[in-house]
Amino acid sequence: MSMDERRKPSGGFFGRRKVRRLKAGGAKLIATLLPRLALDLTIAPSDLPALFSCPVDDVWLEIGFGGGEHLVSQAHAHPRIGILGIEPFVNGMAKALAAIAAQALRNIRLHDGDATEVLGWLPPACLGRVVLLYPDPWPKRRHWKRRFVQKQNLAAIASALRPGGEFRFATDVADYADWTLRHLLAVRDFEWIAECADDWRRPWPGFAGTRYEAKAKRQGRVPCYLTFRRLSPTG
């Protein structure tokens, strides 16, 4: 199947690309390291593990990694996992690149554009995990259509996940947690695996958190952690 024939999800990026001017070190990393780690979406990915410069046993995807705290911690903790990270915010990308360079991580590849571009590029059933942490909640009703959790994006995530793979979602906004839960329960591709309240009140084992999560806790907002398992086509 050609890239033109592949169905791509709709719904683009609505956030800011940049807030402040990059420092010299960050700008240099954007100019030199990012091109070496950037995904080439013009070439259909027949073998995702081959994208990495070290052997990997599985590939995970993090959508909107912010400053890269979770992305980098997961790459460090799981050296045999290849991690694809998406972040269009230039300042966040620069922070992540600095940490990647400092730790000499080889199991990360990056995309600095729209997540839907990568989801449309990925082959079916190629990922073991997709992570979406603290996405913009777009709290005003007229902006809800901008929320990343939408039917078409969930279909794209389901296509990219292999059966048994996980979709992990975290937010400190109760309305967005409810929105996500309702959207996931409305489709047949996923099951919510929570068995007790602590399953959504407590973070996942080994979860290092993010700077946004730390800020939310300081301000009294309570995070919610949702985990969904990709079902096989037969359920």
Side-chain angles (χ1 to χ4, degrees):
M1 179 182 294
S2 70
M3 292 303 297
D4 290 338
E5 295 170 330
R6 186 171 300 175
R7 179 181 177 274
K8 296 183 179 181
S10 60
F13 173 71
F14 295 100
R16 296 172 294 178
R17 297 283 183 179
K18 187 176 180 181
V19 170
R20 60 187 179 277
R21 185 175 182 178
L22 294 176
K23 295 181 180 179
K28 183 177 180 180
L29 288 169
I30 293 289
T32 58
L33 181 56
L34 179 57
R36 299 204 302 270
L37 300 182
L39 297 171
D40 185 353
L41 302 190
T42 67
I43 301 175
S46 59
D47 182 10
L48 281 190
L51 295 174
F52 301 89
S53 61
C54 60
V56 300
D57 301 320
D58 198 3
V59 179
W60 299 348
L61 169 67
E62 182 168 349
I63 298 171
F65 57 73
E69 298 88 3
H70 180 263
L71 178 87
V72 169
S73 71
Q74 290 295 290
H76 179 78
H78 303 282
R80 297 283 303 192
I81 299 295
I83 301 182
L84 308 177
I86 303 172
E87 180 53 63
F89 184 51
V90 177
N91 302 82
M93 178 64 75
K95 288 185 175 69
L97 288 169
I100 292 168
Q103 299 186 37
L105 296 172
R106 301 171 57 205
N107 57 331
I108 293 179
R109 296 296 301 269
L110 302 170
H111 181 63
D112 60 348
D114 197 321
T116 62
E117 297 169 346
V118 175
L119 289 171
W121 170 79
L122 290 168
C126 63
L127 301 176
R129 181 179 296 172
V130 175
V131 180
L132 179 63
L133 303 178
Y134 301 99
D136 193 323
W138 294 106
K140 296 180 180 179
R141 178 181 286 271
R142 68 177 183 272
H143 291 155
W144 284 357
K145 62 182 178 295
R146 298 183 178 184
R147 289 177 169 178
F148 190 82
V149 175
Q150 303 285 349
K151 182 177 180 180
Q152 68 272 21
N153 289 336
L154 294 179
I157 290 171
S159 175
L161 278 171
R162 68 175 59 92
E166 289 185 349
F167 173 49
R168 293 184 173 185
F169 174 90
T171 184
D172 61 312
V173 179
D175 175 72
Y176 203 180
D178 178 68
W179 168 282
T180 299
L181 188 58
R182 286 188 287 109
H183 274 71
L184 268 294
L185 293 178
V187 298
R188 298 180 179 179
D189 298 315
F190 295 95
E191 64 174 347
W192 186 30
I193 64 173
E195 296 180 351
C196 63
D198 280 348
D199 288 336
W200 68 82
R201 290 174 178 167
R202 293 181 178 177
W204 305 280
F207 182 65
T210 70
R211 68 183 62 194
Y212 183 87
E213 179 175 276
K215 178 181 178 181
K217 289 180 176 179
R218 289 195 303 269
Q219 296 178 350
R221 299 192 299 275
V222 179
C224 176
Y225 309 90
L226 303 177
T227 307
F228 304 90
R229 181 182 295 121
R230 175 67 165 101
L231 297 172
S232 65
T234 56

